[in-house]
Amino acid sequence: MSRGIQILKIDTLRFGSIDVQEDKIITFPNGIMGFDKAGKFILFPHKEGSPFYWLQSVDVGDLAFVVMSPMLVVPDYHLDIKEDALHDLGVADSSDLEVMCIVTIPRAHPEAMTINLLGPIIIATSRRVAVQVISDRDYSHQHPVVSME
């Protein structure tokens, strides 16, 4: 006998009360840097056609990050994924991984938004497990998203 998909109701600051399928929750066994009380998140698009996603904490309703693929900003973005990160994700190789980076959008000047290329989030999509790592490449934690040239 199979059990049905469990729906959880979480209260959030930005989105109010939302229903979340338990099997859509992404677990961060090591948390996100600076936010160790939040270990479970959901990822959903900002809106149709947008490059941005929301990474909303299930544990802390007022904690949500805007994230996006670093490849949309730096097409040749490359990340060397270390063995310990693969171990934490429970995968043997990088074929099932998605990389997202946190975006900071200043309220007064949204055109000055930056992306943290130095501390990407790696998601093992099939296992719904993620880790944040520090890149050993020369990336910035405040790389401009929009070029002002």
Side-chain angles (χ1 to χ4, degrees), residues 2 4 21 23 38 42 60 85 91 96 98 134 138 148:
S2 68
Q21 290 181 348
D23 65 342
I42 55 168
V60 182
V91 296
D96 179 43
E98 183 174 358
I134 299 294
D138 191 24
M148 296 301 200

Side-chain angles (χ1 to χ4, degrees), residues 2-14:
S2 68
R3 73 175 205 165
I5 296 174
Q6 184 157 350
I7 304 293
L8 304 174
K9 187 170 287 297
I10 62 171
D11 293 318
T12 70
L13 179 66
R14 285 178 181 79

Side-chain angles (χ1 to χ4, degrees), residues 5 15 19 47 50 55 63 66 71 88 109 111 119 124 142:
I5 296 174
F15 310 106
D19 292 334
K47 63 181 178 181
S50 172
L55 188 62
L63 180 62
V66 176
M71 311 302 194
D88 289 346
H109 298 284
E111 71 280 358
Q142 295 181 316

Side-chain angles (χ1 to χ4, degrees), residues 1-116:
M1 181 167 119
S2 68
R3 73 175 205 165
I5 296 174
Q6 184 157 350
I7 304 293
L8 304 174
K9 187 170 287 297
I10 62 171
D11 293 318
T12 70
L13 179 66
R14 285 178 181 79
F15 310 106
S17 182
I18 57 175
D19 292 334
V20 177
Q21 290 181 348
E22 189 176 43
D23 65 342
K24 300 293 184 197
I25 294 175
I26 300 168
T27 302
F28 283 74
N30 305 325
I32 291 180
M33 292 173 203
F35 301 93
D36 56 346
K37 296 209 182 331
K40 295 181 179 179
F41 289 81
I42 55 168
L43 181 69
F44 56 93
H46 171 64
K47 63 181 178 181
E48 190 174 333
S50 172
F52 302 107
Y53 288 79
W54 286 98
L55 188 62
Q56 169 66 55
S57 171
V58 173
D59 306 308
V60 182
D62 62 350
L63 180 62
F65 300 99
V66 176
V67 297
M68 70 183 298
S69 168
M71 311 302 194
L72 296 174
V73 179
V74 178
D76 62 348
Y77 182 82
H78 183 78
L79 185 62
D80 297 315
I81 302 172
K82 303 217 177 337
E83 286 294 321
D84 58 337
L86 292 174
H87 180 267
D88 289 346
L89 291 165
V91 296
D93 60 55
S94 60
S95 63
D96 179 43
L97 302 180
E98 183 174 358
V99 177
M100 295 293 222
C101 292
I102 295 174
V103 176
T104 301
I105 305 172
R107 188 176 305 270
H109 298 284
E111 71 280 358
M113 74 179 86
T114 60
I115 185 169
N116 181 354

